[in-house]
Amino acid sequence: MKSLVLRYLTGSVVLLLLWEAGSRLLGTEILPPPAASIVLFAESLGDHVFLGHVGISLVRLFGALAIAVVTGFALGLLFGHCKKCDWLGAPLTFITLPLPKIVLLPVFFTVFGLGDTSRVLLIALATGYQILVIVRESALAINPSYELSLRSMGATAWERFRHAYLPAALPALLTSLKVSLGTAIAVLFLAESFATDSGLGWLIMDAWGLADMGRMFTGILGMCVLGLVFYGAIGIVQKLFCPWMR
C-alpha cells in the first residue's frame, strides 16, 4: 500500500513539475502555473455556478455510462455465448466500430433534439462499443469446461449465467470501463461544446473564447477530477466484486 501511494505521489509531482516547466516556457498568460490553477479550482468549489456545471456533467456522464454498461455488457455476453447471434452481430459491430461516434453529433441533435438526450446517447454509443468488444472477447475465451461442468449437473440457463458467464465477464466489464472512461470524458467535452450553455465542456470553451485562462483551466481540472472520481469508483467496485483481480 505504501509503495502504491509513493508511486502515485511521485507521478503527481512529476506531472506538476512538467506543468510548471510548460508554464514558464509558454508564459503564464497561455498556460497558468499549477499552484495558481489549483488554488483557483479550490476556490471555485465554493461557487454554486461552477458546482452546477460539474453536477450537470456528472449526471450526463453517469447516465451515459449506465446505458453503455447495460447494453454493451448484455450484447457482449450474447455475442460471446450465442453463435447464431454472433454470426451477424460481430460483422455489424466491427464494420461500424472504426467510425468516430462524435461525428454523429449533428445526427443525434436532429433526431433527438438539442437537449441532454442527444449528448447522453452519443456518449453511451461511443463507450458501449468498447464495452461490447472487450466483453465479447472475454466471453469467447471462457474455458468450455466450466459450462460443461454446470450442464452435467443439470444447471439451468440462468444458473450457468449466474455461476459461469457473469463471474467470468465481470473483470472484462470493469477493464472495458476503465479503457472507455477516457473516451467518455472526451465525447462529453465535445458534446457540451455545442448548442448548450451548461456543463464543464461549455465552461471550458466559453472561458477560452473570452481568453480567461484561469477559468478555462478550472473547468479542465474539473473534468480531470470527474474522471478520477469515476476511475476510483470502478476500482472500488473491482475490489468488492472481483477480489481475484488484485
Side-chain angles (χ1 to χ4, degrees):
M1 184 62 182
K2 291 182 179 180
S3 175
L4 182 63
V5 172
L6 179 62
R7 287 169 56 197
Y8 276 87
L9 283 176
T10 303
S12 299
V13 170
V14 171
L15 184 61
L16 290 173
L17 289 175
L18 290 174
W19 185 353
E20 180 67 30
S23 177
R24 296 187 179 187
L25 179 65
L26 298 175
T28 56
E29 68 281 359
I30 297 177
L31 182 60
S37 299
I38 293 172
V39 169
L40 187 59
F41 174 75
E43 292 174 350
S44 298
L45 295 178
D47 181 3
H48 70 278
V49 175
F50 175 73
L51 292 179
H53 290 301
V54 173
I56 290 170
S57 293
L58 176 64
V59 170
R60 288 169 176 166
L61 183 61
F62 181 82
L65 289 177
I67 295 172
V69 167
V70 172
T71 56
F73 187 59
L75 289 174
L77 283 177
L78 182 64
F79 294 168
H81 292 294
C82 177
K83 292 183 179 180
K84 292 181 179 179
C85 297
D86 194 57
W87 186 86
L88 180 60
L92 287 175
T93 299
F94 291 110
I95 289 172
T96 55
L97 179 64
L99 172 70
K101 307 306 179 291
I102 191 62
V103 302
L104 298 175
L105 183 60
V107 178
F108 275 63
F109 280 160
T110 303
V111 176
F112 300 106
L114 300 178
D116 286 347
T117 301
S118 299
R119 306 173 212 282
V120 169
L121 290 179
L122 184 65
I123 300 167
L125 180 67
T127 53
Y129 261 85
Q130 296 177 328
I131 293 173
L132 190 161
V133 170
I134 295 176
V135 170
R136 173 185 175 273
E137 292 298 324
S138 172
L140 289 172
I142 189 174
N143 192 329
S145 63
Y146 298 157
E147 183 177 1
L148 291 174
S149 299
L150 289 171
R151 284 182 180 274
S152 67
M153 292 186 288
T156 63
W158 164 250
E159 289 171 335
R160 294 196 301 274
F161 172 80
R162 169 68 179 82
H163 297 289
Y165 303 158
L166 184 60
L170 271 179
L173 171 62
L174 296 174
T175 298
S176 65
L177 270 174
K178 290 180 177 180
V179 171
S180 62
L181 185 58
T183 300
I185 297 288
V187 177
L188 172 68
F189 165 71
L190 290 171
E192 289 185 337
S193 300
F194 300 95
T196 186
D197 58 358
S198 62
L200 290 172
W202 174 84
L203 176 68
I204 292 169
M205 295 304 294
D206 183 64
W208 174 69
L210 297 172
D212 188 346
M213 295 298 127
R215 181 165 166 258
M216 186 183 79
F217 272 87
T218 296
I220 292 173
L221 286 175
M223 278 209 156
C224 291
V225 171
L226 196 63
L228 287 173
V229 168
F230 272 86
Y231 194 88
I234 296 170
I236 293 173
V237 171
Q238 178 178 305
K239 289 183 178 181
L240 291 175
F241 294 98
C242 304
W244 61 88
M245 290 180 66
R246 297 178 186 175

